[in-house]
Amino acid sequence: MGISKTFLPGQRIAVMLPLPLPGPYDYLVPEGLAVEAGAFVRVPLGRRDEVGVVWGPGTDTVAPAKLREVRGRLPAPPLPEISRRFVEWVGDYCLAPTGAVLKMAMSVTAALEPPRPMVAYRAAAVQDASARLTPARRRVLELVTGTPPLPAADLSREAGVSPSVIRGMADAGLLEAVATCRSPAPPEPDWRRPGPSLSRAQHEAAQDLAAKVVDGFSVTLLEGVTGSGKTEVYFEAIAAALQKGRQVLVLLPEIALSAQWLERFARRFGAPPAEWHSDLSAGQRRDTWRAVAEGAARVVVGARSALFLPYPDLGLIVVDEEHDSSFKQEDGTIYHARDMAVVRGRLGEHPVVLASATPSLETQANVQAGRYRRLHLPDRHAGAAMPGVAAVDMRRNGPPRRSWLSPPLLAALEETLAAGEQAMLFLNRRGYAPLTLCRGCGMRLQCPNCTAWLVEHRLLGRLQCHHCGHQARLPSLCPSCGAADSFAACGPGVERLYEEVAARFPDARCAIMASDTVASPAAAAELVRRMEARELDLLVGTQIVAKGHHFPLLTLVGVIDADLGLAGGDLRAAERTYQLLAQVAGRAGRSEHPGRVLLQTYQPDHPVMQALVSGDAERFYAEEAAGRRAAGMPPFGKLAALIVSGADAARVDAVARRLARSAPRLPGVTVLGPAPAPLAMLRGRHRVRLLLRAERRVNVQATLRGWLSTAEIPGGVRLQVDVDPYGFL
Ligand code: ADP
Ligand code: ZN
């Protein structure tokens, strides 16, 4: 990065505010202040003050007399140039106002303010020999000897003494209080610690990745079956980046559920990484943001928003489970964290590693086109075999009514439990039953705000809408026909499956794992620990059980409804179902005990089931790719969705029709719609969709900008743009 320009008093500067404005606003640098590009400054806006970022020299034409002055500069490191360019790039690509993207990069305003002073303690220079030294006091004294002053809270936690002991020692003249503004620096992961000895294939892949670390921008797909050691391999790339003194970002889906990953990291590097996700407290967010900005946080592991932290010296990004659809942010600024990670790598001129057992078609197409490199780990670690996968044809071998376990799956469960091994049952549906209807009149309980059924959650004792969170009690009388006690639960959710399992296997120790039954990351970690420690025999869960866990004794995986993800049939339904089921299946037989997987399906001939049973992923992907290519769909064509929504259906329709009339008529571009969205009503808003499909050569952003520049969106109607859509609801 070049020396950034300093702006002096009297100069006009452009300040980007974290608001959805069309661009930066100009201000004057006042007497006595000098600011450089990237500095966080407080500026007046209307009658308020806002904090923004110095974006560059002023450009607009406001008369100098009308220009307002910057009020002051905040005591935080400036937002690095690469971060600023990244914010602009994301805004341009996603058609979002730059300020809205900037907001994600300065989400923790408290981190910009002067740190609150706090009291820290060190050993008093002159120790009063007459003071009483209890064992607790001795422990505290040992801790403060030879280190910088420690905050009282840290001291009492690490010494295992109450805060009153610390205060007592200060009163007795054993400790000396000093005011400090800093939280202690996070512990540094140590790249010098030895990793496990790698297999030959692992070693070669690790060497290759490590060599890329100082080699500028590159994207490498690290592909390997579940359990092949991809994590161990990219840990070596992390070690190499740390050795070069660079920061590292690892993006994981569901970081809050990744206790095993965090433990592995801490074992490998002797210190935990900095975490970034929505479960952090305000204080943790402030400290972490600041530690990243100051370069003290060396490795960050986070959810997609961690991309927008102000790294001064990022040298490597790893996106684990790169195919996972949770990397797509669906509200606010809509972006795909995997794709934006690649952009961040290009701007920062450092490598990006995409790891997956089942890479997305997008990434595979990029490998085939030579844009990304590929490293392959063909085998599971330590000779563990891939699990045998078989389909249970539910048309012939299905369970009796109101039961969800087919005879072959029941038999397999019995065998597994009798052998003292563990089993996992997977059903990607939260709650007790997806649909509740009146036996008298057939009325279905619907969300009042959404085109969706209410899902019964028996453990919570209520009905819930999975789209807007609306909650209700099960009514005692049918609101439509007035019948009493007439409601029937239709179909299974994990809670209902659990009920059946508990009744069939009363001696088995069972647990349920779904995002709403597991209250916190700690509770999830506890379930994982119990499974590892063999305190559980059977785990019933939704897709959160599929995420990366390693349970050596788990030998049977049963998929209750393998067809579930295929319904609805969006563009990626088959691909996503394959990826999810391959990941679930990959939990079985990861150690010396061989594993098996049973897929309950009504479509055993479906290409997804065939691919899982035969293990022939390549054929499946090739056919999937051929279909997409023929249809001009991603990754061989481009898509962008427009979603028009509002409380007033007529207004929404009018806007959508106007948009359709003014749609671009360009070669290689087709606009489909308007059509009511499958979720035609969401949170009380009517929704209509248009879809733009374009050939790869088309500049979709320019096309959209041209189209939308003429759009008139009246109050109460909202237009959302989703470039590269993944969700089609
Ligand atoms: P993947 O990420 O490809 O699913 P992991 O990296 O999680 O695979 O490895 C699967 C399991 O095998 C983990 O418990 C890991 O610690 C272990 N493992 C992988 N490679 C090695 C190795 N070279 N030495 C020791 N253990 C290994
Ligand atoms: Zn709802």
Side-chain angles (χ1 to χ4, degrees):
M1 229 185 325
I3 311 265
S4 67
K5 179 168 163 42
T6 302
F7 301 97
L8 300 171
Q11 281 188 301
R12 183 193 274 258
I13 55 170
V15 173
M16 190 69 78
L17 295 164
L19 299 166
L21 301 168
Y25 286 174
D26 277 10
Y27 291 90
L28 266 186
V29 182
E31 272 321 304
L33 191 71
V35 291
E36 70 273 42
F40 290 95
V41 288
R42 195 182 302 285
V43 295
L45 181 73
R47 289 200 219 152
R48 296 174 295 167
D49 274 6
E50 283 284 343
V51 173
V53 174
V54 178
W55 219 247
T59 47
D60 73 21
T61 48
V62 176
K66 286 201 183 151
L67 268 189
R68 300 176 77 181
E69 286 189 340
V70 172
R71 295 225 197 275
R73 184 201 162 130
L74 283 90
L79 190 66
E81 192 202 336
I82 295 173
S83 294
R84 297 190 318 263
R85 278 164 52 206
F86 182 56
V87 162
E88 280 190 336
W89 207 101
V90 173
D92 285 348
Y93 187 86
C94 301
L95 272 85
T98 313
V101 183
L102 177 64
K103 187 164 191 231
M104 298 194 281
M106 45 187 290
S107 57
V108 197
T109 42
L112 305 169
E113 303 291 341
R116 261 176 280 159
M118 58 180 174
V119 178
Y121 290 97
R122 62 175 172 225
V126 183
Q127 295 281 336
D128 178 354
S130 69
R132 207 164 45 88
L133 274 189
T134 60
R137 287 183 162 192
R138 273 209 193 88
R139 282 204 302 280
V140 173
L141 277 183
E142 266 166 38
L143 276 172
V144 292
T145 306
T147 57
L150 284 171
D154 292 5
L155 203 48
S156 70
R157 190 184 60 242
E158 279 177 41
V161 304
S162 72
S164 63
V165 172
I166 312 279
R167 279 195 303 273
M169 290 176 72
D171 293 344
L174 292 167
L175 293 179
E176 218 169 72
V178 278
T180 167
C181 285
R182 307 180 50 86
S183 336
E188 263 194 44
D190 180 3
W191 55 268
R192 287 181 191 81
R193 288 165 65 102
S197 64
L198 299 179
S199 72
R200 194 178 160 151
Q202 289 175 338
H203 179 74
E204 278 169 12
Q207 290 288 308
D208 186 301
L209 285 185
K212 281 280 158 203
V213 162
V214 281
D215 224 15
F217 171 64
S218 62
V219 184
T220 307
L221 166 64
L222 176 60
E223 181 177 359
V225 295
T226 49
S228 58
K230 295 182 292 296
T231 315
E232 302 295 345
V233 167
Y234 71 65
F235 275 1
E236 296 311 304
I238 294 176
L242 290 175
Q243 183 179 3
K244 305 284 179 218
R246 310 291 299 272
Q247 287 174 298
V248 176
L249 166 63
V250 182
L251 293 178
L252 294 181
E254 311 277 5
I255 162 75
L257 298 168
S258 303
Q260 272 189 331
W261 191 98
L262 294 170
E263 255 167 47
R264 267 171 87 177
F265 184 94
R267 256 194 326 249
R268 171 70 178 79
F269 293 104
E275 290 177 46
W276 189 259
H277 50 80
S278 54
D279 281 305
L280 300 182
S281 69
Q284 286 170 318
R285 295 178 83 75
R286 188 190 57 226
D287 289 352
T288 303
W289 195 95
R290 193 92 195 179
V292 170
E294 287 167 355
R298 308 307 302 166
V299 179
V300 176
V301 57
R304 50 196 181 218
S305 58
L307 270 177
F308 294 95
L309 287 171
Y311 308 93
D313 193 19
L314 192 57
L316 172 68
I317 302 180
V318 178
V319 184
D320 202 352
E321 311 289 2
E322 66 88 27
H323 62 276
D324 198 292
S325 45
S326 68
F327 284 124
K328 183 76 196 283
Q329 163 133 331
E330 298 284 4
D331 36 49
T333 298
I334 302 179
Y335 68 94
H336 199 302
R338 176 199 60 221
D339 299 345
M340 295 308 116
V342 170
V343 171
R344 182 67 179 73
R346 209 170 57 216
L347 294 174
E349 293 170 31
H350 63 70
V352 176
V353 176
L354 309 178
S356 176
T358 51
S360 62
L361 268 185
E362 277 70 15
T363 295
Q364 300 196 26
N366 279 321
V367 169
Q368 259 144 33
R371 287 185 288 267
Y372 296 179
R373 302 164 347 111
R374 173 177 183 256
L375 295 171
H376 190 218
L377 301 175
D379 305 306
R380 278 191 157 179
H381 171 65
M386 288 304 283
V389 181
V392 176
D393 186 342
M394 296 287 272
R395 294 166 307 184
R396 277 185 238 139
N397 251 332
R401 282 194 67 211
R402 294 184 177 273
S403 163
W404 324 106
L405 300 169
S406 62
L409 182 52
L410 272 175
L413 278 167
E414 261 153 33
E415 277 169 34
T416 303
L417 296 174
E421 295 171 357
Q422 293 172 310
M424 178 187 274
L425 293 177
F426 172 73
L427 174 61
N428 206 10
R429 230 192 224 147
R430 290 186 283 134
Y432 186 81
L435 167 66
T436 306
L437 58 70
C438 170
R439 273 187 298 251
C441 69
M443 212 249 350
R444 298 163 172 213
L445 289 178
Q446 272 238 340
C447 175
N449 315 316
C450 307
T451 318
W453 297 331
L454 289 175
V455 178
E456 182 184 358
H457 286 252
R458 219 164 258 194
L459 295 175
L460 299 171
R462 56 187 175 236
L463 299 157
Q464 252 181 25
C465 171
H466 284 181
H467 296 286
C468 72
H470 172 82
Q471 302 198 352
R473 296 204 163 278
L474 189 66
S476 49
L477 303 179
C478 171
S480 170
C481 71
D485 293 325
S486 68
F487 285 111
C490 296
V494 272
E495 292 179 13
R496 197 170 195 184
L497 176 63
Y498 177 83
E499 191 178 84
E500 178 176 359
V501 168
R504 294 254 187 193
F505 302 99
D507 298 330
R509 297 161 299 173
C510 305
I512 190 167
M513 189 166 179
S515 56
D516 60 323
T517 62
V518 177
S520 64
E526 171 61 9
L527 269 180
V528 169
R529 187 201 61 74
R530 285 170 63 201
M531 193 74 182
E532 277 179 310
R534 296 186 65 184
E535 292 169 23
L536 289 173
D537 303 308
L538 214 166
L539 193 57
V540 174
T542 59
Q543 60 179 347
I544 71 172
V545 299
K547 306 271 172 194
H549 305 301
H550 182 70
F551 302 125
L553 256 166
L554 178 71
T555 57
L556 173 66
V557 166
V559 176
I560 300 304
D561 185 352
D563 310 328
L564 192 56
L566 298 173
D570 80 51
L571 170 67
R572 294 184 183 83
E575 181 192 350
R576 243 190 341 248
T577 303
Y578 174 76
Q579 287 160 339
L580 179 60
L581 295 184
Q583 192 173 32
V584 180
R587 299 311 107 203
R590 289 167 68 96
S591 254
E592 58 264 36
H593 306 274
R596 63 173 154 166
V597 179
L598 291 179
L599 307 171
Q600 298 191 153
T601 171
Y602 288 90
Q603 310 173 59
D605 300 324
H606 193 285
V608 167
M609 307 309 150
Q610 295 281 315
L612 290 162
V613 169
S614 68
D616 192 352
E618 261 170 53
R619 181 163 151 215
F620 168 74
Y621 275 120
E623 285 174 8
E624 190 67 18
R628 298 256 193 105
R629 194 188 287 276
M633 284 295 187
F636 307 102
K638 299 179 181 176
L639 290 180
L642 302 187
I643 302 125
V644 187
S645 66
D648 183 323
R651 282 181 148 201
V652 170
D653 281 339
V655 170
R657 275 198 308 272
R658 272 209 307 276
L659 277 170
R661 274 200 301 275
S662 64
R665 287 182 187 77
L666 298 170
V669 175
T670 324
V671 173
L672 309 167
L679 253 174
M681 175 100 125
L682 176 65
R683 298 188 175 93
R685 298 169 72 87
H686 299 269
R687 302 167 77 246
V688 172
R689 297 180 65 105
L690 294 107
L691 189 65
L692 179 142
R693 193 181 66 205
E695 290 171 14
R696 265 193 80 94
R697 64 188 165 86
V698 174
N699 181 336
V700 166
Q701 282 74 16
T703 307
L704 286 170
R705 250 180 231 113
W707 181 11
L708 301 181
S709 63
T710 60
E712 283 166 40
I713 312 291
V717 175
R718 182 161 165 230
L719 172 64
Q720 265 178 301
V721 183
D722 184 356
V723 176
D724 307 332
Y726 276 66
F728 294 87
L729 294 178

